[in-house]
Amino acid sequence: MNNKSEKFTLPGHAGLMEGLLDLPKEAPRGIALVAHPHPLFGGTMDNKVAQTLARTFVALGYAAARINFRGVGASEGVHDHGHGEADDMMLLLEHMRARYPGLPLALSGFSFGTFVQSQLQQRLIAAGTPAERLVLVGSAAGKWAMPEIPANTILIHGELDETIPLRDVFDWLRPQDIPVIVIPGADHFFHRKLQHIKSLIIQLWHADKA
């Protein structure tokens, strides 16, 4: 279980944004931003995969922050097809960097959230301040124009994902020569498979630091 969770609100480009911050027991060693699935199809920051990502980063010692996108929960505004949502995620990043200056940054997202975070990473790369790593679960290839991603990105996808077929993910990643971890028997929402997400990310994170 997370040691501490804090609800907060932030001013966004389209109104107030509702957020949640999960903190580790000790002082955070990094910042992680989590992006939830599509708002028009029931996606919220309380989505089970988004929660799993937040808990995973807390287990890694990160302060994990997530917001409800525009028009979701208490967040104001209307859905902006991923572009305004990336603007809002940048505001969340600025807020977290002001609160925890100098800490490394990780970006993670599920489904539509992978499109948002991939866009944000491209902005950060252009500014010379990239996140140390991306974690993308159920990447939105074929649904949105996913940009190129860094070679060290952790990608996890379900074998039986009918929302975002695995072939679309392969088509996106093939020119970049980036591998993806496929969970056998997993659907788009990773029913009964959530434990694999956490264990894989932690294993790969520690292996990368070894």
Side-chain angles (χ1 to χ4, degrees):
M1 296 295 292
N2 296 340
N3 184 55
K4 185 178 180 183
S5 295
E6 300 177 3
K7 293 183 178 180
F8 64 90
T9 57
L10 284 179
H13 295 291
L16 291 178
M17 303 185 296
E18 175 186 28
L20 187 64
L21 175 63
D22 295 312
L23 295 168
K25 293 181 179 179
E26 307 297 333
R29 64 158 301 271
I31 298 165
L33 305 188
V34 178
H36 70 69
H38 205 299
L40 300 186
F41 298 94
T44 77
M45 66 180 179
D46 294 323
N47 167 269
K48 294 296 185 182
V49 177
Q51 288 186 45
T52 298
L53 287 169
R55 290 168 181 163
T56 299
F57 277 103
V58 168
L60 288 168
Y62 282 62
R66 44 196 157 124
I67 54 172
N68 271 329
F69 288 137
R70 301 176 181 197
V72 177
S75 290
E76 299 173 340
V78 295
H79 177 63
D80 193 37
H81 309 286
H83 305 296
E85 288 77 6
D87 293 339
D88 293 338
M89 192 62 67
M90 177 66 85
L91 292 177
L92 175 61
L93 172 55
E94 292 170 356
H95 169 75
M96 291 297 292
R97 280 181 165 164
R99 178 165 175 171
Y100 300 105
L103 293 184
L105 168 69
L107 300 178
S108 66
F110 168 51
S111 193
F112 171 79
T114 68
F115 175 51
V116 174
Q117 298 292 50
S118 297
Q119 289 184 88
L120 179 56
Q121 176 70 328
Q122 286 297 316
R123 296 185 190 184
L124 296 175
I125 290 172
T129 58
E132 62 173 340
R133 203 163 196 183
L134 275 175
V135 177
L136 306 179
V137 178
S139 298
K143 295 288 186 182
W144 292 275
M146 294 288 288
E148 291 188 0
I149 53 175
N152 71 341
T153 300
I154 296 174
L155 296 117
I156 300 173
H157 211 83
E159 176 197 14
L160 304 181
D161 191 329
E162 295 183 351
T163 301
I164 304 170
L166 192 54
R167 64 176 179 274
D168 291 342
V169 178
F170 287 155
D171 288 344
W172 169 53
L173 295 176
R174 192 177 297 113
Q176 303 180 70
D177 195 26
I178 296 177
V180 57
I181 300 168
V182 179
I183 306 300
D187 61 13
H188 183 61
F189 293 98
F190 292 85
H191 293 301
R192 302 181 184 275
K193 304 288 185 179
L194 290 172
Q195 74 277 10
H196 293 306
I197 295 174
K198 183 176 182 179
S199 62
L200 283 166
I201 294 170
I202 290 175
Q203 178 183 350
L204 290 167
W205 211 268
H206 287 314
D208 183 62
K209 302 300 180 184

